[in-house]
Amino acid sequence: MTLDIIVPHYKEPWETCKFLFDTLATQKGVYFGNIRVIVVNDGDCVLSNDCFGGYPYKVEYLKKQHGGVSAARNYGLDHATADYVMFCDIDDGFLNNYGLHLVFSAMQDGYDYISSNFVEETFTDNNTPSIVRHNNDFTFMHGKAYKRSFLTEHNLRFDPNMTIHEDGYFNTVALVTAKQEGKLKCIETPFYLWVWNDNSTVRSNREDFVLRTYGELMRTRIGACQQLKDRGYVEEFKTSVCMTVLNSYYDFQKTSYHVAKNQKHLRNAEKAFKGFWDLYGNVFKDCTNQMIAEVAVSARANACKNGMLMEQESLKAFVRRFE
């Protein structure tokens, strides 16, 4: 079995990128002749082929016109030839030296979608380094591998118009397709490290970032719901609509969203959700009380983890505001 690791690159200096390539080189229990890293330069001239010399695996450095992370991943996928592909961010790395050994073991068993738990490097409010473990996450690209023939057969690609929250769209559709049409494997041991980056707007103020980019978030969720509907996954389509409504409901219950400085962003976010509701509000109304209750448990738990203290309004009142 062979693996192509697709890594988009845009303006990051080699000092930022080096950790990924170094930690990949420390992987044990794998044959590096079966691993290739495809670096997709998305329209800048920061790196050169000289950076990648001396590693035990092959590195292919491709260049294209700037088109964003989704287009770069698709470009790498178009040039992939391995049995499996993995997508990594160029400023991240590998935590567990036997991580890829676990992935290759799952590859040998023929799974179509392989997902592992991963670890996030972050800082607390008092600037203390902290590690957060993400279990059973199917939103981020981190620590996931896909059988290339499975992606090709089911036309699973990134939407090139999505450059923010694009991984949630891709993984939602890929996960449901794997559950319905293929084989899914979850690896408990984390090996992917989501590295802290001081220059990342997403990482340094994630809540503010989500609020300001809610329009893009709704666009990816609309895209995912529509893909599930078009592919004939009726129940999964309803569940995705239900999850989006409840996630948005709990998002808007966060006290921090309602402070004066966020009023403009909040209005724009609610306008974006209104667009989703106009499309799929009737679908949500047709969801059973049992489905809504089951989805609400995980949605509320996630909202509390991300800073929601208590509901400011009822779900019924929230929905009424958008009708």
Side-chain angles (χ1 to χ4, degrees), residues 173-197:
V173 181
L175 174 65
V176 171
T177 305
K179 287 182 175 179
Q180 295 295 323
E181 315 286 349
K183 295 171 60 180
L184 171 68
K185 171 70 174 181
C186 296
I187 298 173
E188 292 294 324
T189 304
F191 70 88
Y192 190 98
L193 178 62
W194 185 9
V195 176
W196 177 267
N197 186 341

Side-chain angles (χ1 to χ4, degrees), residues 21 56 132 175 202:
F21 295 90
V132 177
L175 174 65
V202 182

Side-chain angles (χ1 to χ4, degrees), residues 99-112:
L100 285 189
H101 172 72
L102 298 175
V103 173
F104 270 89
S105 295
M107 287 163 50
Q108 293 292 338
D109 291 332
Y111 289 99
D112 298 295

